[in-house]
Amino acid sequence: MRLRTSSHFSFLLIACCLGCTKNQPVAPSPEGGSLNFAYTREDSTEGAQFALWFEGKLLASDSTKQRVMYSLKYLRHKYSDSVNIYPAIAKVLATKFFAPWVIGEIIVRFDSISAKQVEAGVYTGWNSLDPSLRPDTIQSFLGAQRYGVLGFDEPYNPIRLSEIYRTLPGIVDAYQNAIGWVSEMDFPLFPGLKNGEHSYVFLEDGFLGRPYFYFRYVRGEPVLIGIWSPSTEQRPSWWADANQNIIGFSRWEGF
């Protein structure tokens, strides 16, 4: 382990029901219950982050990664060329998920004795852990405040990792290194779970007052529930449901 110091349009309300609008873009009929998509490296990277957040475990499973990749890929496949719905919808849907915290990193506060040991490189409190759970780097350490930022090579969920570290001797607290949360407009994509199926709120550009897009899966099919531009339109009836994705985003701990 090494010690280093560093730091990081008005618009028609669309309420869609499956098969109810002849102009609704429809994906090819699935074979064997699902479509076969070719995934890019970007899809895989997004899927790994999304799965880690969505599953809420220390490490995400491959099955969850495949589930979330398919969910987003099918949604984008079905709606990305729907310029009749919204001219820039392809751009909106192309935005990628990113987690509200740094993956594989936690912030730890030590007691005074342990802080000195860490600073001297002789702290052994984490030696009881499997080697993969011990920090690979100390990203930064503030001796006077007794805080350290620990980095791990494995893509760990920091919420679960923090729970492990709170049990170690000499550690007062541990928690995820959250990405700046000024408002929901800091993030372009907010997933959720409704009746056991995926739902998504996309933002085109919240700072410019451009709209929210709310999609829900219904019986395995992605459905556009509506588009809302807060700067020009009254709040739609579906917003309370969609807003739960935003409210719960930063504190989601798994399904």
Side-chain angles (χ1 to χ4, degrees), residues 46-69 71-72 97-101 103 157-160 190-200 217 245 248-249 251-255:
E46 177 186 41
Q49 290 202 32
F50 187 4
L52 191 69
W53 174 88
F54 182 65
E55 195 167 27
K57 297 180 180 178
L58 184 63
L59 287 170
S61 66
D62 288 340
S63 60
T64 298
K65 179 181 175 181
Q66 290 300 316
R67 171 182 175 178
V68 299
M69 286 174 62
S71 176
L72 282 171
F97 172 88
F98 60 92
W101 22 251
I103 294 170
N157 184 318
I159 297 175
R160 301 285 87 87
F190 298 87
L193 207 61
K194 312 292 182 185
N195 300 322
E197 298 191 89
H198 290 287
S199 66
Y200 300 97
Y217 267 78
N245 286 25
F249 179 65
R251 56 176 183 260
W252 176 274
E253 293 196 9
F255 69 96

CSV table of all heavy atoms in Angstrom, one decimal, residues 46-69 71-72 97-101 103 157-160 190-200 217 245 248-249 251-255:
chain,number,residue,atom,x,y,z
A,46,GLU,N,-21.2,1.7,-18.3
A,46,GLU,CA,-22.4,2.2,-17.7
A,46,GLU,C,-23.1,1.1,-16.9
A,46,GLU,O,-23.6,1.3,-15.8
A,46,GLU,CB,-23.3,2.8,-18.7
A,46,GLU,CG,-24.6,3.3,-18.2
A,46,GLU,CD,-25.6,3.7,-19.3
A,46,GLU,OE1,-25.7,3.0,-20.3
A,46,GLU,OE2,-26.3,4.8,-19.1
A,47,GLY,N,-23.2,-0.1,-17.5
A,47,GLY,CA,-23.9,-1.2,-16.9
A,47,GLY,C,-23.3,-1.6,-15.6
A,47,GLY,O,-24.0,-1.9,-14.6
A,48,ALA,N,-21.9,-1.6,-15.5
A,48,ALA,CA,-21.3,-2.0,-14.3
A,48,ALA,C,-21.5,-1.0,-13.2
A,48,ALA,O,-21.8,-1.4,-12.0
A,48,ALA,CB,-19.7,-2.1,-14.6
A,49,GLN,N,-21.5,0.3,-13.5
A,49,GLN,CA,-21.8,1.3,-12.5
A,49,GLN,C,-23.3,1.2,-12.0
A,49,GLN,O,-23.6,1.3,-10.8
A,49,GLN,CB,-21.5,2.7,-13.0
A,49,GLN,CG,-20.1,3.0,-13.2
A,49,GLN,CD,-19.8,4.5,-13.2
A,49,GLN,OE1,-20.5,5.3,-12.5
A,49,GLN,NE2,-18.8,4.9,-13.9
A,50,PHE,N,-24.2,1.1,-13.0
A,50,PHE,CA,-25.6,1.0,-12.7
A,50,PHE,C,-25.9,-0.2,-11.9
A,50,PHE,O,-26.7,-0.1,-10.9
A,50,PHE,CB,-26.4,1.0,-14.0
A,50,PHE,CG,-27.9,1.1,-13.9
A,50,PHE,CD1,-28.5,1.3,-12.7
A,50,PHE,CD2,-28.7,1.0,-15.1
A,50,PHE,CE1,-29.9,1.4,-12.6
A,50,PHE,CE2,-30.1,1.1,-15.0
A,50,PHE,CZ,-30.7,1.3,-13.8
A,51,ALA,N,-25.4,-1.3,-12.2
A,51,ALA,CA,-25.6,-2.5,-11.5
A,51,ALA,C,-25.1,-2.4,-10.0
A,51,ALA,O,-25.8,-2.9,-9.1
A,51,ALA,CB,-25.0,-3.7,-12.2
A,52,LEU,N,-24.0,-1.8,-9.8
A,52,LEU,CA,-23.4,-1.7,-8.5
A,52,LEU,C,-24.4,-0.8,-7.6
A,52,LEU,O,-24.7,-1.2,-6.5
A,52,LEU,CB,-22.1,-1.0,-8.5
A,52,LEU,CG,-21.3,-1.1,-7.2
A,52,LEU,CD1,-20.8,-2.5,-6.9
A,52,LEU,CD2,-20.0,-0.1,-7.4
A,53,TRP,N,-24.9,0.3,-8.2
A,53,TRP,CA,-25.8,1.1,-7.5
A,53,TRP,C,-27.1,0.4,-7.3
A,53,TRP,O,-27.7,0.4,-6.2
A,53,TRP,CB,-26.1,2.4,-8.3
A,53,TRP,CG,-27.1,3.3,-7.8
A,53,TRP,CD1,-27.0,4.3,-6.8
A,53,TRP,CD2,-28.5,3.3,-8.1
A,53,TRP,NE1,-28.2,4.9,-6.6
A,53,TRP,CE2,-29.1,4.3,-7.4
A,53,TRP,CE3,-29.3,2.5,-9.0
A,53,TRP,CZ2,-30.5,4.6,-7.5
A,53,TRP,CZ3,-30.6,2.8,-9.1
A,53,TRP,CH2,-31.2,3.8,-8.4
A,54,PHE,N,-27.7,-0.2,-8.3
A,54,PHE,CA,-29.0,-0.8,-8.3
A,54,PHE,C,-29.1,-2.0,-7.4
A,54,PHE,O,-30.0,-2.2,-6.6
A,54,PHE,CB,-29.4,-1.3,-9.7
A,54,PHE,CG,-30.7,-1.9,-9.9
A,54,PHE,CD1,-31.9,-1.1,-9.6
A,54,PHE,CD2,-30.9,-3.2,-10.2
A,54,PHE,CE1,-33.1,-1.7,-9.7
A,54,PHE,CE2,-32.2,-3.7,-10.4
A,54,PHE,CZ,-33.3,-3.0,-10.1
A,55,GLU,N,-28.1,-2.9,-7.4
A,55,GLU,CA,-28.1,-4.1,-6.6
A,55,GLU,C,-27.8,-3.8,-5.2
A,55,GLU,O,-28.4,-4.5,-4.3
A,55,GLU,CB,-27.1,-5.1,-7.2
A,55,GLU,CG,-27.3,-6.5,-6.6
A,55,GLU,CD,-26.6,-7.6,-7.4
A,55,GLU,OE1,-25.5,-7.2,-8.0
A,55,GLU,OE2,-27.0,-8.7,-7.5
A,56,GLY,N,-27.0,-2.9,-4.9
A,56,GLY,CA,-26.7,-2.5,-3.5
A,56,GLY,C,-25.8,-3.4,-2.8
A,56,GLY,O,-25.7,-3.3,-1.5
A,57,LYS,N,-25.1,-4.3,-3.4
A,57,LYS,CA,-24.2,-5.2,-2.7
A,57,LYS,C,-22.8,-4.7,-2.9
A,57,LYS,O,-22.5,-3.8,-3.6
A,57,LYS,CB,-24.4,-6.7,-3.3
A,57,LYS,CG,-25.8,-7.2,-3.1
A,57,LYS,CD,-25.9,-8.6,-3.6
A,57,LYS,CE,-27.3,-9.2,-3.4
A,57,LYS,NZ,-27.4,-10.6,-4.0
A,58,LEU,N,-21.9,-5.4,-2.2
A,58,LEU,CA,-20.5,-5.0,-2.2
A,58,LEU,C,-19.9,-5.0,-3.6
A,58,LEU,O,-19.3,-4.1,-4.0
A,58,LEU,CB,-19.7,-5.9,-1.3
A,58,LEU,CG,-18.2,-5.5,-1.1
A,58,LEU,CD1,-18.0,-4.2,-0.5
A,58,LEU,CD2,-17.5,-6.6,-0.3
A,59,LEU,N,-20.2,-6.1,-4.3
A,59,LEU,CA,-19.9,-6.2,-5.8
A,59,LEU,C,-21.1,-6.6,-6.5
A,59,LEU,O,-21.9,-7.4,-6.0
A,59,LEU,CB,-18.8,-7.2,-6.0
A,59,LEU,CG,-17.4,-6.8,-5.5
A,59,LEU,CD1,-16.5,-8.1,-5.6
A,59,LEU,CD2,-16.8,-5.7,-6.4
A,60,ALA,N,-21.3,-6.0,-7.7
A,60,ALA,CA,-22.5,-6.3,-8.5
A,60,ALA,C,-22.4,-7.6,-9.2
A,60,ALA,O,-21.3,-8.0,-9.6
A,60,ALA,CB,-22.8,-5.2,-9.5
A,61,SER,N,-23.5,-8.3,-9.4
A,61,SER,CA,-23.4,-9.6,-10.1
A,61,SER,C,-23.5,-9.4,-11.6
A,61,SER,O,-24.0,-8.4,-12.1
A,61,SER,CB,-24.6,-10.5,-9.7
A,61,SER,OG,-25.8,-9.9,-10.0
A,62,ASP,N,-23.0,-10.4,-12.4
A,62,ASP,CA,-23.1,-10.3,-13.8
A,62,ASP,C,-24.6,-10.3,-14.3
A,62,ASP,O,-24.9,-9.6,-15.3
A,62,ASP,CB,-22.4,-11.4,-14.5
A,62,ASP,CG,-20.9,-11.3,-14.4
A,62,ASP,OD1,-20.4,-10.2,-14.1
A,62,ASP,OD2,-20.2,-12.3,-14.5
A,63,SER,N,-25.4,-11.0,-13.6
A,63,SER,CA,-26.8,-11.1,-14.0
A,63,SER,C,-27.5,-9.7,-13.9
A,63,SER,O,-28.3,-9.3,-14.7
A,63,SER,CB,-27.6,-12.1,-13.2
A,63,SER,OG,-27.5,-11.8,-11.8
A,64,THR,N,-27.2,-9.0,-12.8
A,64,THR,CA,-27.8,-7.7,-12.6
A,64,THR,C,-27.2,-6.7,-13.7
A,64,THR,O,-27.9,-5.9,-14.2
A,64,THR,CB,-27.5,-7.1,-11.2
A,64,THR,OG1,-28.1,-8.0,-10.3
A,64,THR,CG2,-28.1,-5.7,-11.0
A,65,LYS,N,-25.9,-6.8,-14.0
A,65,LYS,CA,-25.3,-6.0,-15.0
A,65,LYS,C,-26.0,-6.2,-16.4
A,65,LYS,O,-26.4,-5.3,-17.1
A,65,LYS,CB,-23.8,-6.3,-15.1
A,65,LYS,CG,-23.2,-5.4,-16.2
A,65,LYS,CD,-21.7,-5.8,-16.3
A,65,LYS,CE,-21.0,-5.0,-17.5
A,65,LYS,NZ,-19.6,-5.4,-17.6
A,66,GLN,N,-26.3,-7.5,-16.7
A,66,GLN,CA,-27.0,-7.8,-18.0
A,66,GLN,C,-28.4,-7.2,-17.9
A,66,GLN,O,-28.9,-6.7,-19.0
A,66,GLN,CB,-27.0,-9.3,-18.2
A,66,GLN,CG,-25.6,-9.9,-18.5
A,66,GLN,CD,-25.0,-9.3,-19.8
A,66,GLN,OE1,-25.7,-9.1,-20.8
A,66,GLN,NE2,-23.7,-9.0,-19.8
A,67,ARG,N,-29.0,-7.3,-16.8
A,67,ARG,CA,-30.4,-6.8,-16.7
A,67,ARG,C,-30.5,-5.3,-16.9
A,67,ARG,O,-31.4,-4.9,-17.7
A,67,ARG,CB,-31.0,-7.2,-15.3
A,67,ARG,CG,-32.3,-6.5,-14.9
A,67,ARG,CD,-32.8,-6.8,-13.5
A,67,ARG,NE,-34.0,-6.1,-13.2
A,67,ARG,CZ,-34.6,-6.2,-12.0
A,67,ARG,NH1,-34.2,-7.0,-11.1
A,67,ARG,NH2,-35.7,-5.5,-11.8
A,68,VAL,N,-29.6,-4.6,-16.3
A,68,VAL,CA,-29.7,-3.1,-16.4
A,68,VAL,C,-29.2,-2.7,-17.8
A,68,VAL,O,-29.8,-1.7,-18.4
A,68,VAL,CB,-29.0,-2.4,-15.3
A,68,VAL,CG1,-29.6,-2.8,-13.9
A,68,VAL,CG2,-27.5,-2.7,-15.3
A,69,MET,N,-28.2,-3.3,-18.3
A,69,MET,CA,-27.8,-3.0,-19.7
A,69,MET,C,-28.9,-3.2,-20.7
A,69,MET,O,-29.1,-2.4,-21.6
A,69,MET,CB,-26.6,-3.8,-20.1
A,69,MET,CG,-25.3,-3.4,-19.4
A,69,MET,SD,-23.9,-4.6,-19.7
A,69,MET,CE,-23.7,-4.4,-21.5
A,71,SER,N,-32.1,-3.3,-20.1
A,71,SER,CA,-33.2,-2.3,-19.8
A,71,SER,C,-33.0,-1.0,-20.5
A,71,SER,O,-33.9,-0.4,-21.2
A,71,SER,CB,-33.3,-2.1,-18.3
A,71,SER,OG,-34.3,-1.1,-18.0
A,72,LEU,N,-31.8,-0.4,-20.4
A,72,LEU,CA,-31.4,0.8,-21.0
A,72,LEU,C,-31.3,0.7,-22.5
A,72,LEU,O,-31.7,1.6,-23.3
A,72,LEU,CB,-30.2,1.4,-20.4
A,72,LEU,CG,-30.3,2.1,-19.0
A,72,LEU,CD1,-29.0,2.4,-18.4
A,72,LEU,CD2,-31.2,3.3,-19.1
A,97,PHE,N,-25.7,6.9,-17.2
A,97,PHE,CA,-25.9,6.8,-15.7
A,97,PHE,C,-24.5,6.9,-15.1
A,97,PHE,O,-23.5,6.4,-15.6
A,97,PHE,CB,-26.4,5.4,-15.3
A,97,PHE,CG,-26.4,5.2,-13.9
A,97,PHE,CD1,-27.5,5.6,-13.1
A,97,PHE,CD2,-25.3,4.6,-13.2
A,97,PHE,CE1,-27.5,5.4,-11.7
A,97,PHE,CE2,-25.3,4.3,-11.9
A,97,PHE,CZ,-26.4,4.8,-11.1
A,98,PHE,N,-24.5,7.7,-14.0
A,98,PHE,CA,-23.3,7.6,-13.1
A,98,PHE,C,-23.8,7.7,-11.7
A,98,PHE,O,-24.8,8.3,-11.3
A,98,PHE,CB,-22.2,8.6,-13.5
A,98,PHE,CG,-22.6,10.1,-13.4
A,98,PHE,CD1,-22.4,10.8,-12.2
A,98,PHE,CD2,-23.2,10.7,-14.5
A,98,PHE,CE1,-22.8,12.1,-12.1
A,98,PHE,CE2,-23.5,12.1,-14.4
A,98,PHE,CZ,-23.3,12.8,-13.2
A,99,ALA,N,-23.1,7.0,-10.9
A,99,ALA,CA,-23.4,6.8,-9.5
A,99,ALA,C,-23.3,8.1,-8.7
A,99,ALA,O,-22.5,9.0,-9.0
A,99,ALA,CB,-22.6,5.7,-8.8
A,100,PRO,N,-24.0,8.2,-7.5
A,100,PRO,CA,-23.9,9.4,-6.7
A,100,PRO,C,-22.7,9.4,-5.8
A,100,PRO,O,-22.6,10.3,-4.9
A,100,PRO,CB,-25.2,9.4,-5.9
A,100,PRO,CG,-25.5,8.0,-5.8
A,100,PRO,CD,-25.1,7.3,-7.1
A,101,TRP,N,-21.8,8.4,-5.9
A,101,TRP,CA,-20.6,8.4,-5.0
A,101,TRP,C,-19.5,7.7,-5.8
A,101,TRP,O,-19.7,7.2,-6.9
A,101,TRP,CB,-20.9,7.5,-3.8
A,101,TRP,CG,-22.0,6.6,-3.8
A,101,TRP,CD1,-23.2,6.7,-3.2
A,101,TRP,CD2,-22.1,5.3,-4.5
A,101,TRP,NE1,-24.0,5.6,-3.4
A,101,TRP,CE2,-23.3,4.7,-4.3
A,101,TRP,CE3,-21.2,4.6,-5.4
A,101,TRP,CZ2,-23.7,3.5,-4.8
A,101,TRP,CZ3,-21.6,3.4,-5.9
A,101,TRP,CH2,-22.8,2.9,-5.6
A,103,ILE,N,-17.0,5.1,-6.8
A,103,ILE,CA,-16.9,3.6,-6.6
A,103,ILE,C,-15.4,3.3,-6.2
A,103,ILE,O,-14.5,3.8,-6.6
A,103,ILE,CB,-17.2,2.9,-8.0
A,103,ILE,CG1,-18.7,3.2,-8.3
A,103,ILE,CG2,-16.9,1.5,-7.9
A,103,ILE,CD1,-19.0,2.8,-9.7
A,157,ASN,N,-18.9,-1.2,-3.9
A,157,ASN,CA,-20.0,-0.3,-3.5
A,157,ASN,C,-19.5,0.3,-2.1
A,157,ASN,O,-19.4,-0.3,-1.1
A,157,ASN,CB,-21.3,-1.0,-3.3
A,157,ASN,CG,-22.5,-0.1,-3.0
A,157,ASN,OD1,-22.3,0.8,-2.2
A,157,ASN,ND2,-23.6,-0.4,-3.6
A,158,PRO,N,-19.3,1.7,-2.1
A,158,PRO,CA,-18.8,2.3,-0.9
A,158,PRO,C,-19.7,2.2,0.3
A,158,PRO,O,-19.3,2.3,1.5
A,158,PRO,CB,-18.5,3.7,-1.3
A,158,PRO,CG,-19.4,3.9,-2.5
A,158,PRO,CD,-19.5,2.6,-3.2
A,159,ILE,N,-21.0,2.1,0.1
A,159,ILE,CA,-21.9,2.0,1.2
A,159,ILE,C,-21.7,0.7,2.0
A,159,ILE,O,-21.6,0.7,3.2
A,159,ILE,CB,-23.4,2.0,0.7
A,159,ILE,CG1,-23.7,3.4,0.1
A,159,ILE,CG2,-24.4,1.8,1.9
A,159,ILE,CD1,-25.1,3.5,-0.5
A,160,ARG,N,-21.6,-0.4,1.2
A,160,ARG,CA,-21.3,-1.7,1.9
A,160,ARG,C,-19.9,-1.7,2.4
A,160,ARG,O,-19.7,-2.3,3.5
A,160,ARG,CB,-21.5,-2.8,0.9
A,160,ARG,CG,-22.9,-2.9,0.2
A,160,ARG,CD,-23.9,-3.5,1.2
A,160,ARG,NE,-24.5,-2.5,2.1
A,160,ARG,CZ,-25.6,-1.8,1.7
A,160,ARG,NH1,-26.1,-1.9,0.5
A,160,ARG,NH2,-26.1,-0.9,2.6
A,190,PHE,N,-31.9,9.3,-13.6
A,190,PHE,CA,-32.3,8.8,-12.3
A,190,PHE,C,-33.2,7.5,-12.5
A,190,PHE,O,-34.3,7.6,-12.9
A,190,PHE,CB,-33.2,9.9,-11.6
A,190,PHE,CG,-32.4,11.1,-11.3
A,190,PHE,CD1,-32.4,12.1,-12.2
A,190,PHE,CD2,-31.7,11.3,-10.1
A,190,PHE,CE1,-31.7,13.3,-12.0
A,190,PHE,CE2,-31.0,12.4,-9.8
A,190,PHE,CZ,-31.0,13.5,-10.8
A,191,PRO,N,-32.6,6.4,-12.2
A,191,PRO,CA,-33.4,5.1,-12.3
A,191,PRO,C,-34.2,4.9,-11.0
A,191,PRO,O,-34.0,5.5,-10.0
A,191,PRO,CB,-32.3,4.0,-12.4
A,191,PRO,CG,-31.0,4.8,-12.4
A,191,PRO,CD,-31.2,6.1,-11.9
A,192,GLY,N,-35.2,4.0,-11.1
A,192,GLY,CA,-36.0,3.6,-10.0
A,192,GLY,C,-36.6,2.3,-10.3
A,192,GLY,O,-36.4,1.7,-11.4
A,193,LEU,N,-37.4,1.8,-9.4
A,193,LEU,CA,-38.1,0.5,-9.5
A,193,LEU,C,-39.6,0.8,-9.2
A,193,LEU,O,-39.9,1.2,-8.0
A,193,LEU,CB,-37.5,-0.5,-8.5
A,193,LEU,CG,-37.6,-2.0,-8.9
A,193,LEU,CD1,-36.9,-2.2,-10.3
A,193,LEU,CD2,-37.0,-2.8,-7.8
A,194,LYS,N,-40.5,0.5,-10.1
A,194,LYS,CA,-41.9,0.6,-9.9
A,194,LYS,C,-42.6,-0.7,-10.2
A,194,LYS,O,-42.5,-1.3,-11.3
A,194,LYS,CB,-42.5,1.7,-10.9
A,194,LYS,CG,-41.8,3.0,-10.9
A,194,LYS,CD,-41.8,3.8,-9.6
A,194,LYS,CE,-41.1,5.1,-9.8
A,194,LYS,NZ,-41.0,5.8,-8.5
A,195,ASN,N,-43.3,-1.3,-9.2
A,195,ASN,CA,-43.9,-2.6,-9.3
A,195,ASN,C,-43.0,-3.6,-9.8
A,195,ASN,O,-43.3,-4.5,-10.7
A,195,ASN,CB,-45.1,-2.5,-10.3
A,195,ASN,CG,-46.2,-1.5,-9.8
A,195,ASN,OD1,-46.5,-1.4,-8.6
A,195,ASN,ND2,-46.8,-0.8,-10.7
A,196,GLY,N,-41.8,-3.6,-9.4
A,196,GLY,CA,-40.7,-4.5,-9.8
A,196,GLY,C,-40.1,-4.4,-11.1
A,196,GLY,O,-39.3,-5.2,-11.5
A,197,GLU,N,-40.4,-3.3,-11.8
A,197,GLU,CA,-39.9,-3.0,-13.1
A,197,GLU,C,-39.1,-1.7,-13.1
A,197,GLU,O,-39.5,-0.8,-12.4
A,197,GLU,CB,-41.0,-3.0,-14.2
A,197,GLU,CG,-41.7,-4.4,-14.3
A,197,GLU,CD,-42.5,-4.5,-15.6
A,197,GLU,OE1,-42.0,-4.8,-16.6
A,197,GLU,OE2,-43.7,-4.1,-15.5
A,198,HIS,N,-38.2,-1.5,-14.0
A,198,HIS,CA,-37.4,-0.3,-14.1
A,198,HIS,C,-38.2,0.9,-14.5
A,198,HIS,O,-39.1,0.8,-15.3
A,198,HIS,CB,-36.2,-0.5,-15.1
A,198,HIS,CG,-35.2,-1.5,-14.7
A,198,HIS,ND1,-34.3,-1.2,-13.7
A,198,HIS,CD2,-34.9,-2.7,-15.1
A,198,HIS,CE1,-33.5,-2.2,-13.5
A,198,HIS,NE2,-33.8,-3.1,-14.3
A,199,SER,N,-37.8,2.0,-14.0
A,199,SER,CA,-38.3,3.3,-14.4
A,199,SER,C,-37.1,4.3,-14.5
A,199,SER,O,-36.1,4.1,-13.8
A,199,SER,CB,-39.4,3.9,-13.4
A,199,SER,OG,-38.8,4.1,-12.2
A,200,TYR,N,-37.3,5.3,-15.3
A,200,TYR,CA,-36.2,6.3,-15.5
A,200,TYR,C,-36.7,7.7,-15.7
A,200,TYR,O,-37.7,8.0,-16.4
A,200,TYR,CB,-35.4,5.9,-16.8
A,200,TYR,CG,-34.8,4.5,-16.8
A,200,TYR,CD1,-35.5,3.5,-17.4
A,200,TYR,CD2,-33.6,4.3,-16.1
A,200,TYR,CE1,-34.9,2.2,-17.3
A,200,TYR,CE2,-33.0,3.0,-16.1
A,200,TYR,CZ,-33.7,2.0,-16.7
A,200,TYR,OH,-33.2,0.7,-16.7
A,217,TYR,N,-41.1,0.9,-17.4
A,217,TYR,CA,-41.4,-0.4,-18.0
A,217,TYR,C,-42.7,-1.0,-17.5
A,217,TYR,O,-43.0,-0.9,-16.3
A,217,TYR,CB,-40.3,-1.4,-17.6
A,217,TYR,CG,-39.2,-1.5,-18.6
A,217,TYR,CD1,-38.2,-0.5,-18.7
A,217,TYR,CD2,-39.1,-2.5,-19.6
A,217,TYR,CE1,-37.2,-0.5,-19.6
A,217,TYR,CE2,-38.1,-2.5,-20.5
A,217,TYR,CZ,-37.1,-1.5,-20.5
A,217,TYR,OH,-36.1,-1.6,-21.5
A,245,ASN,N,-37.9,8.9,-8.0
A,245,ASN,CA,-36.6,8.4,-8.5
A,245,ASN,C,-35.5,9.4,-8.1
A,245,ASN,O,-34.4,9.0,-7.7
A,245,ASN,CB,-36.6,8.3,-10.0
A,245,ASN,CG,-37.3,7.1,-10.5
A,245,ASN,OD1,-38.2,6.6,-9.8
A,245,ASN,ND2,-37.0,6.6,-11.7
A,248,GLY,N,-35.0,9.5,-4.1
A,248,GLY,CA,-34.3,8.3,-3.6
A,248,GLY,C,-32.9,8.0,-4.2
A,248,GLY,O,-32.3,7.1,-3.7
A,249,PHE,N,-32.5,8.8,-5.1
A,249,PHE,CA,-31.3,8.5,-5.9
A,249,PHE,C,-30.0,8.4,-5.0
A,249,PHE,O,-29.3,7.4,-5.0
A,249,PHE,CB,-31.1,9.5,-7.0
A,249,PHE,CG,-29.8,9.3,-7.8
A,249,PHE,CD1,-29.7,8.2,-8.6
A,249,PHE,CD2,-28.8,10.2,-7.8
A,249,PHE,CE1,-28.6,7.9,-9.4
A,249,PHE,CE2,-27.7,10.0,-8.5
A,249,PHE,CZ,-27.5,8.9,-9.3
A,251,ARG,N,-29.7,8.1,-1.8
A,251,ARG,CA,-29.8,7.2,-0.6
A,251,ARG,C,-30.3,5.8,-0.9
A,251,ARG,O,-30.5,5.0,0.0
A,251,ARG,CB,-30.6,7.8,0.5
A,251,ARG,CG,-32.1,8.2,0.1
A,251,ARG,CD,-32.8,8.7,1.3
A,251,ARG,NE,-34.2,9.0,1.0
A,251,ARG,CZ,-34.7,10.2,0.8
A,251,ARG,NH1,-33.9,11.2,0.8
A,251,ARG,NH2,-36.0,10.4,0.5
A,252,TRP,N,-30.3,5.5,-2.2
A,252,TRP,CA,-30.7,4.1,-2.6
A,252,TRP,C,-29.7,3.1,-2.1
A,252,TRP,O,-28.5,3.3,-2.2
A,252,TRP,CB,-30.8,4.1,-4.1
A,252,TRP,CG,-31.1,2.7,-4.7
A,252,TRP,CD1,-30.1,1.7,-5.0
A,252,TRP,CD2,-32.3,2.1,-5.1
A,252,TRP,NE1,-30.7,0.6,-5.5
A,252,TRP,CE2,-32.1,0.8,-5.6
A,252,TRP,CE3,-33.6,2.6,-5.0
A,252,TRP,CZ2,-33.1,0.0,-6.0
A,252,TRP,CZ3,-34.7,1.8,-5.5
A,252,TRP,CH2,-34.4,0.5,-6.0
A,253,GLU,N,-30.1,2.0,-1.5
A,253,GLU,CA,-29.2,1.0,-1.0
A,253,GLU,C,-29.4,-0.4,-1.5
A,253,GLU,O,-28.9,-1.3,-1.0
A,253,GLU,CB,-29.3,1.0,0.5
A,253,GLU,CG,-28.8,2.3,1.2
A,253,GLU,CD,-28.5,2.2,2.6
A,253,GLU,OE1,-28.5,1.0,3.2
A,253,GLU,OE2,-28.2,3.2,3.3
A,254,GLY,N,-30.2,-0.5,-2.6
A,254,GLY,CA,-30.4,-1.8,-3.3
A,254,GLY,C,-31.8,-2.2,-3.3
A,254,GLY,O,-32.7,-1.8,-2.5
A,255,PHE,N,-32.1,-3.2,-4.2
A,255,PHE,CA,-33.5,-3.7,-4.3
A,255,PHE,C,-33.7,-5.0,-3.6
A,255,PHE,O,-32.7,-5.6,-3.2
A,255,PHE,CB,-33.9,-3.8,-5.8
A,255,PHE,CG,-33.1,-5.0,-6.5
A,255,PHE,CD1,-33.7,-6.2,-6.6
A,255,PHE,CD2,-31.9,-4.8,-7.0
A,255,PHE,CE1,-33.1,-7.2,-7.3
A,255,PHE,CE2,-31.2,-5.8,-7.7
A,255,PHE,CZ,-31.8,-7.0,-7.8
